[in-house]
Amino acid sequence: MEAVVYTESLQLYALVHGALGPAGWKVYWKEGRGLALAGLDQMEKGEVLLWATPWGLRAYDPWGMIFLTRRDDPRTLASGLEGRVGLRLLPGEKAVLWAVGNGVPPRVGALAQALGFSRDRARFFLKGLINKFGLGEEGLVHLARHQVKVMGLKDHLESLPGA
């Protein structure tokens, strides 16, 4: 198995190489062939998105809307890429992600109004997204816009799952 990591961050590349190398993967940095992995700085180049948190490595597949590492443990990345580990988004979290990706501010009131959720329900799903992604507001908005672009579902708020 081979993977290419697109990122400017050597630390992120080192984390991925350290996780995949012992599992028998060849890991290239910014050029080569194989599964395209990308840091948030070059997410448009990747099939799987990667970023480091204070707790470890997160890997997210925007096509499947699934996380590929378990509890940010880099050692689970290889099995995640092979489809054996994953944490899916809840339907309401998907709805919030779509809404944010389509320009709704990541604010409880705005999300509740856009999705027809109660404020408590909107707060619950927004908090779940924030916890799962471990990104600040700017990072979450950037990733949500990329998610919408990848899935090609821009301007389809009325057909959101969980709405």
Side-chain angles (χ1 to χ4, degrees):
M1 302 291 282
E2 296 180 348
V4 182
V5 181
Y6 295 96
T7 183
E8 295 301 320
S9 169
L10 281 173
Q11 291 87 358
L12 183 59
Y13 170 74
L15 261 177
V16 173
H17 190 276
L20 294 179
W25 286 66
K26 291 183 180 179
V27 183
Y28 304 100
W29 187 42
K30 297 200 284 186
E31 50 185 70
R33 60 181 189 274
L35 181 63
L37 312 175
L40 296 180
D41 58 335
Q42 295 185 22
M43 66 175 71
E44 68 283 348
K45 294 183 179 179
E47 297 169 57
V48 172
L49 308 178
L50 307 161
W51 62 96
T53 70
W55 309 278
L57 178 68
R58 297 218 175 148
Y60 177 71
D61 173 4
W63 289 101
M65 299 183 87
I66 188 168
F67 287 90
L68 302 176
T69 51
R70 183 176 293 153
R71 296 185 185 191
D72 301 339
D73 184 351
R75 295 172 297 178
T76 65
L77 180 58
S79 59
L81 293 173
E82 294 165 2
R84 293 194 303 259
V85 174
L87 174 64
R88 293 194 184 279
L89 297 179
L90 298 173
E93 291 169 340
K94 289 179 184 180
V96 168
L97 189 63
W98 288 126
V100 171
N102 278 296
V104 177
R107 306 275 186 271
V108 172
L111 289 166
Q113 183 177 11
L115 297 170
F117 287 172
S118 69
R119 290 181 63 85
D120 288 340
R121 191 168 180 217
R123 183 179 298 109
F124 175 79
F125 290 124
L126 177 61
K127 189 173 182 178
L129 266 188
I130 290 168
N131 289 336
K132 284 181 179 171
F133 284 103
L135 298 170
E137 183 178 317
E138 185 179 321
L140 181 63
V141 168
H142 188 60
L143 191 139
R145 288 182 180 156
H146 178 72
Q147 176 75 65
V148 169
K149 184 179 175 183
V150 164
M151 299 301 286
L153 296 174
K154 196 161 179 70
D155 301 323
H156 291 286
L157 285 176
E158 67 280 354
S159 64
L160 290 171

